[in-house]
Amino acid sequence: MIAIPKFWTRKAMNKGEGDLDESSAWAWFHNKYPALADWLAPFADRARKRTDKGEFWWELRACAYYDKFSGPKVFYPDITDASKFHLDTTGAFAANTCYFIPGGDDFIAGLLNSKAVWFFLTGISDSVRGGFYRMFAQNIMRIPIPEAASTQKESIAEIAQQCQALAEQRYQLQQNITRRIPDLCPPDREAKLTNKLKSWWELDFDTFQKEIKKAFKTSIPLAERNDWQDYLQSSRQQVAELARELSAREEALNRAVYAVFDLTPEEIGLLENGL
């Protein structure tokens, strides 16, 4: 995602508050970033009609919290069926289906991803069809943050780091294979994956072959089948192992958060049964 905030062009050109017309600004922009400008140019007429544009049509509207994106923050989805809080330290941006908590850290991320907090959120959040919940900011702000000793915070933060590292490693492995599957598509067809192919690690090889034929109207070449079968089986085992490690770390995280909330075994049982 390329972010061009309001007044970015003027600042990049080292122009003060004097007049700067669109044609001059666009000429500079096109000369400086020709590939980006050529990509944007077809949208110029529609972009000029925006009520939320910046000084020029290729800029975003003003935003009071652009600087917050560059610092540590905890992202979370607008609608979700589980705790999906993610600590970002890369300066990433997000679109309007993703919210964030500025200034987050590993302890907060771990706490938010616990069963205890998810139990709380499902009790106060609006539900939508399919077991999903709306993560409105006013509900996130109501999450209780318990007093925790420094050792407890350090422990939860460390486990949260481990969980996120395992989840990212598993996701990267899954995506690496997903990006290779279109290689099986004939050049004259659209390489559109079925939902099952997008979750290839859940398929045995026979089912995988059937989905390839369904999606691409072709079969895996006979000479390549053994290689693909070995490739998928090895990768599927790696995904499963990462999932087991992640599950074990998540259980450790939940136990650590239960301790911070000072929950009794009976309360933990009621909470988990409620989920």
Side-chain angles (χ1 to χ4, degrees):
M1 184 179 292
I2 297 173
I4 310 177
K6 185 176 182 179
F7 297 127
W8 177 90
T9 310
R10 179 180 292 275
K11 291 177 181 177
M13 293 176 68
N14 292 317
K15 296 290 185 180
E17 296 183 2
D19 291 338
L20 177 61
D21 62 271
E22 181 184 299
S23 60
S24 299
W26 178 252
W28 174 88
F29 185 78
H30 192 280
N31 182 64
K32 191 76 172 177
Y33 303 100
L36 181 56
D38 288 342
W39 192 90
L40 288 172
F43 305 102
D45 289 341
R46 281 190 292 166
R48 285 192 186 95
K49 297 176 183 177
R50 290 160 47 219
T51 59
D52 60 347
K53 61 180 179 290
E55 183 179 15
F56 302 108
W57 64 263
W58 57 89
E59 295 180 343
L60 296 169
R61 64 174 174 82
C63 177
Y65 52 88
Y66 272 131
D67 61 311
K68 301 299 183 184
F69 283 105
S70 62
K73 55 192 172 295
V74 177
F75 278 128
Y76 61 96
D78 172 22
I79 301 174
T80 184
D81 60 347
S83 295
K84 296 176 182 176
F85 295 90
H86 173 84
L87 178 64
D88 174 71
T89 57
T90 68
F93 281 70
N96 63 330
T97 57
C98 185
Y99 301 150
F100 72 92
I101 303 167
D105 56 28
D106 289 301
F107 168 69
I108 292 298
L111 189 76
L112 294 174
N113 277 307
S114 68
K115 285 183 178 180
V117 168
W118 182 244
F119 177 81
F120 176 81
L121 283 173
T122 58
I124 65 171
S125 301
D126 295 332
S127 61
V128 293
R129 185 165 36 181
F132 289 82
Y133 294 87
R134 299 296 304 271
M135 296 289 104
F136 291 123
Q138 59 264 34
N139 290 336
I140 298 297
M141 291 172 66
R142 291 173 59 190
I143 294 173
I145 307 298
E147 292 291 334
S150 58
T151 53
Q152 291 177 309
K153 287 185 175 181
E154 291 170 3
S155 176
I156 290 173
E158 182 179 357
I159 299 171
Q161 287 177 351
Q162 295 167 350
C163 287
Q164 183 156 320
L166 288 166
E168 289 176 352
Q169 187 178 350
R170 180 180 62 175
Y171 177 77
Q172 190 60 57
L173 174 59
Q174 291 168 336
Q175 292 305 301
N176 286 344
I177 308 299
T178 301
R179 284 193 289 267
R180 292 272 63 88
I181 295 176
D183 293 348
L184 294 167
C185 184
D188 59 337
R189 295 194 62 84
E190 181 184 4
K192 187 175 182 180
L193 304 188
T194 64
N195 287 331
K196 286 186 177 180
L197 285 176
K198 291 176 183 177
S199 301
W200 58 265
W201 57 93
E202 298 177 354
L203 308 179
D204 58 41
F205 189 64
D206 287 341
T207 305
F208 180 80
Q209 289 191 99
K210 291 176 182 176
E211 287 299 309
I212 290 296
K213 193 165 187 178
K214 176 181 176 182
F216 303 152
K217 305 300 187 238
T218 189
S219 299
I220 301 175
L222 182 61
E224 299 177 14
R225 288 179 192 172
N226 284 341
D227 288 340
W228 268 99
Q229 186 170 13
D230 293 343
Y231 182 42
L232 290 171
Q233 182 176 348
S234 173
S235 300
R236 192 163 50 241
Q237 290 173 347
Q238 292 179 58
V239 170
E241 179 57 33
L242 288 169
R244 284 192 290 270
E245 292 182 39
L246 179 56
S247 179
R249 291 287 78 203
E250 286 174 338
E251 283 304 310
L253 175 67
N254 285 318
R255 289 195 299 271
V257 174
Y258 290 152
V260 171
F261 277 108
D262 198 25
L263 298 182
T264 66
E266 291 76 15
E267 289 169 334
I268 293 171
L270 288 170
L271 184 152
E272 296 194 345
N273 286 333
L275 292 173

